[in-house]
Amino acid sequence: MIGKIVTGKSFSGCLKYLHEGRRQKTEELQKMEEAKKQAEVIHYNECFGTKKELIRQCIEVSQLNPKVGKPVFHASISFHPDDYGKLTRQDQIDIAQALAKEFDFADKQFVAITHADTGYEHMHVVANRIGYEGPTASDSNSYKRMAAWCRKMELQYNLTQVLSPNKFLKPEQRVAQSQRIDKRKERLKETLVWAIDKSGNVAEVKAQMEKQGYKVELGRGIAFIDEQMVRFKGSQVGYSLEDIEKTLKAQQLISQQQQQQQIREQQRQEELAKEQTEQHRYSGGISR
């Protein structure tokens, strides 16, 4: 179980992203993105309604304390692939409520949202750090608190235990963990280079990577998630989406140049054969 926390300024941006996915270039692609994500709000707390209504309600309450620059609390929780199907809907709701209690927003506005666009279960909890009364929910030591909370939930629900974030491991454990990450990155890079070499466009690269067991997130950028749910942006291994597109264009150009060279060589061979045939006929005519 892996948990990540970010705090932000915009309820609109956060909730729109969770409902609609990454912003696409066309309306048709956007509809496909939304259908793929299959976002579902499974729990409401101190708020209710459509995406627009939730945004409006959260903004209204956050204005009660305009001094807080980042009122948005966004936690993403990913469960290990081996735990797929272990948790009931009520289990997921209970986990969201346990998170709210741990981070002091159980009496404030929050929603739990699930997505179905990956091969593993994951959900998001978006909360308003500001409430109608009481102190603002603290975000101090959030990474360390989240790591400890995840270990607690794994034991409580008999889930697969996942290593804590590297920054909270002992020095000797950090070295081993960093080596594992480096190996993952190197393996990802090798696989990606192979996939690009065998592809003519980004869609084919995505298909090749998925055949090799990677989940591919494709929008304005590109990211890859391996079987252990470790996620890397393409740029982390030297291949951002822009880099991939440039490499594919370069490959196409080289391929076109090679084809043109082959055509020219074939034409040259044909012309040479034609000249030899004419010379043979000419020399044959002279001999007679």
Side-chain angles (χ1 to χ4, degrees):
M1 181 175 176
I2 297 175
K4 297 180 181 179
I5 293 175
V6 295
T7 55
K9 299 179 180 180
S10 174
F11 285 103
S12 176
C14 181
L15 288 170
K16 282 183 178 179
Y17 166 72
L18 293 179
H19 280 82
E20 302 170 5
R22 296 181 184 276
R23 182 60 55 188
Q24 303 297 311
K25 295 181 180 179
T26 67
E27 183 178 353
E28 182 180 0
L29 289 174
Q30 189 64 51
K31 289 180 179 179
M32 291 173 62
E33 174 74 2
E34 292 178 24
K36 181 179 68 175
K37 284 202 98 60
Q38 298 181 45
E40 181 182 1
V41 181
I42 63 171
H43 183 68
Y44 300 86
N45 192 78
E46 298 294 334
C47 57
F48 189 77
T50 64
K51 172 187 63 185
K52 290 183 179 180
E53 290 170 333
L54 290 173
I55 292 171
R56 176 180 56 77
Q57 291 167 23
C58 288
I59 290 175
E60 288 176 351
V61 174
S62 69
Q63 290 173 347
L64 295 175
N65 190 349
K67 293 182 180 180
V68 178
K70 294 183 177 182
V72 183
F73 175 100
H74 175 200
S76 59
I77 302 168
S78 301
F79 302 97
H80 194 279
D82 291 348
D83 295 329
Y84 188 86
K86 279 187 179 180
L87 298 171
T88 65
R89 175 59 53 84
Q90 188 58 53
D91 287 335
Q92 293 175 330
I93 293 172
D94 292 343
I95 288 174
Q97 291 176 327
L99 179 69
K101 184 177 180 180
E102 175 68 27
F103 285 88
D104 305 318
F105 58 84
D107 60 343
K108 297 175 174 59
Q109 295 171 319
F110 74 88
V111 292
I113 301 174
T114 60
H115 286 156
D117 59 335
T118 62
Y120 56 90
E121 293 179 315
H122 65 287
M123 70 175 177
H124 300 262
V125 177
V126 179
N128 194 341
R129 295 177 58 216
I130 299 167
Y132 292 104
E133 55 185 49
T136 299
S138 173
D139 62 347
S140 64
N141 293 319
S142 58
Y143 293 102
K144 189 172 183 178
R145 291 163 66 191
M146 173 60 89
W149 178 82
C150 284
R151 306 294 79 76
K152 180 180 177 181
M153 292 297 102
E154 288 167 352
L155 293 173
Q156 183 174 334
Y157 289 90
N158 193 30
L159 301 174
T160 302
Q161 294 189 39
V162 180
L163 285 175
S164 299
N166 194 39
K167 64 184 292 186
F168 303 119
L169 297 176
K170 295 178 181 179
E172 62 272 18
Q173 292 175 315
R174 291 182 193 175
V175 173
Q177 178 76 342
S178 63
Q179 289 175 346
R180 288 177 61 185
I181 294 298
D182 288 341
K183 289 180 180 178
R184 284 196 175 100
K185 290 172 71 172
E186 188 61 32
R187 184 163 58 249
L188 169 59
K189 184 175 181 178
E190 290 175 357
T191 307
L192 183 55
V193 170
W194 170 85
I196 293 172
D197 183 62
K198 288 186 170 295
S199 304
N201 54 54
V202 174
E204 291 179 6
V205 173
K206 180 176 183 292
Q208 292 286 1
M209 292 299 289
E210 288 174 343
K211 287 180 181 179
Q212 300 303 312
Y214 287 92
K215 163 68 181 175
V216 182
E217 294 180 353
L218 184 59
R220 292 184 178 180
I222 192 166
F224 306 91
I225 302 173
D226 67 15
E227 294 178 350
Q228 298 300 316
M229 294 194 339
V230 179
R231 181 181 184 275
F232 293 107
K233 293 181 180 179
S235 58
Q236 289 180 272
V237 293
Y239 283 92
S240 66
L241 181 57
E242 183 179 0
D243 293 330
I244 292 173
E245 290 173 339
K246 287 181 179 179
T247 303
L248 289 170
K249 287 181 180 179
Q251 287 181 177
Q252 290 174 356
L253 180 60
I254 292 172
S255 178
Q256 290 172 358
Q257 291 174 342
Q258 290 176 340
Q259 290 176 359
Q260 291 172 356
Q261 179 64 30
Q262 289 175 353
I263 291 173
R264 287 195 293 268
E265 180 63 24
Q266 184 177 356
Q267 290 175 340
R268 192 182 71 81
Q269 292 293 337
E270 291 175 350
E271 290 174 357
L272 182 60
K274 184 178 180 181
E275 289 178 0
Q276 291 176 343
T277 300
E278 290 177 350
Q279 289 177 359
H280 179 71
R281 288 178 179 175
Y282 179 75
S283 61
I286 295 296
S287 63
R288 287 193 299 268

